[in-house]
Amino acid sequence: MNNAEIFEPFLARLRVSTEIDEEDEVAIRHLPITVKRMAGGQPVVSLGDRPSACCLVVDGFILRSKIVGNGHRQIMAFHQPGDIPDLQGLFLHVMDHDVSTLGDSILGFIPHAAVRSLIRKRPNVAEALWRDTLTDAAIFREWICNVGQREATSRVAHLVLELYTRLKAIGRADGLSFNFPASQALLADAVGTSVVHMNRVVQQLRAQRVLDLERGRISILDEARLREIADFDVLYLHLNPSL
C-alpha cells in the first residue's frame, strides 16, 4: 500500500468538507506514516497515555470510550476510514479516554512533529484540521442530545444514519447498506441502553421494515421513515465547506 492509497480516505473526506488544493494534498501525501494492521478489540491509545503520533484510520473502524466508576463503558464515538480521532493529542498531551479497534483495521501513525511542521507551512491544512476538530465537537454535541433526550428507537436510527451519511460521503456505502462490525452490545454502549432493550429496538425496526442489522452489516430499508424516526438533520456533520 503506497502513500496515495493510505491517505486517500482522509483526502476524500477533506475534499467534501473543506477547501484544500492540489499542493495541500501533495504535502499531506508526503507525511511520514507507519501502517499497522490490528485485530478487533485492540487498544490504540489508552487513558493516561502520552502519544507521540496521530492515528489515521485507513480501513476499518475504531471507537472512543470511557469506563465510568461503576465499571460500565460509554462509547462516545465511532470513527471510519479517513478519520484522525486523536488529533487533539497534538496539544492535549495526556489521553483522557480510550481509543480501540472495532474489528480488523488498518491504521496509520503520523508523528506529531511532522503534523506540526505541516500545519505551520500550509495554513490551508491547518484550517482544514481545525475545522475537522470543530466538526468532531459538533458530533459530540449531537451524541449528547441523542443519549439524553431521544427515545431508544430514535437513538439507534440516528446513529445508523450518521454512520451511513459519513460513509456515503467518501464512497464507502453500498447503496443503502454498509459494513459495520459492531455487536448489539456495542451499539447499546453507544446509545446508552441495555443489551436486552437494544435487541427489542432492533426487532421493532426490522418488523417495521425500516432497518435490518445483521452482524457485520447494516441495511437501510426505508430511508425516509428512518430519518423521521431519528429526527435527523445532517447539518451537524458539516459535509459542505459552506456550512
Side-chain angles (χ1 to χ4, degrees), residues 48-70:
D49 285 353
R50 289 179 171 267
S52 59
C54 294
C55 169
L56 168 65
V57 185
V58 180
D59 195 30
F61 296 88
I62 67 176
L63 59 88
R64 300 195 211 208
S65 64
K66 194 159 188 172
I67 305 296
V68 297
N70 59 10

Side-chain angles (χ1 to χ4, degrees), residues 84-104:
I84 304 180
D86 59 350
L87 194 60
Q88 73 273 10
L90 285 170
F91 305 106
L92 301 177
H93 305 302
V94 179
M95 289 295 296
D96 57 23
H97 61 284
D98 300 316
V99 178
S100 55
T101 54
L102 173 62
D104 294 343

Side-chain angles (χ1 to χ4, degrees), residues 199-232:
N199 184 259
R200 292 195 193 105
V201 169
V202 170
Q203 295 303 325
Q204 178 184 346
L205 291 169
R206 184 177 288 136
Q208 293 176 351
R209 298 198 56 78
V210 174
L211 188 66
D212 192 21
L213 284 82
E214 298 293 343
R215 187 170 181 84
R217 191 160 184 85
I218 298 177
S219 297
I220 298 171
L221 306 178
D222 186 337
E223 185 178 0
R225 177 62 180 142
L226 191 66
R227 287 178 180 275
E228 182 182 341
I229 293 170
D231 179 35
F232 188 79

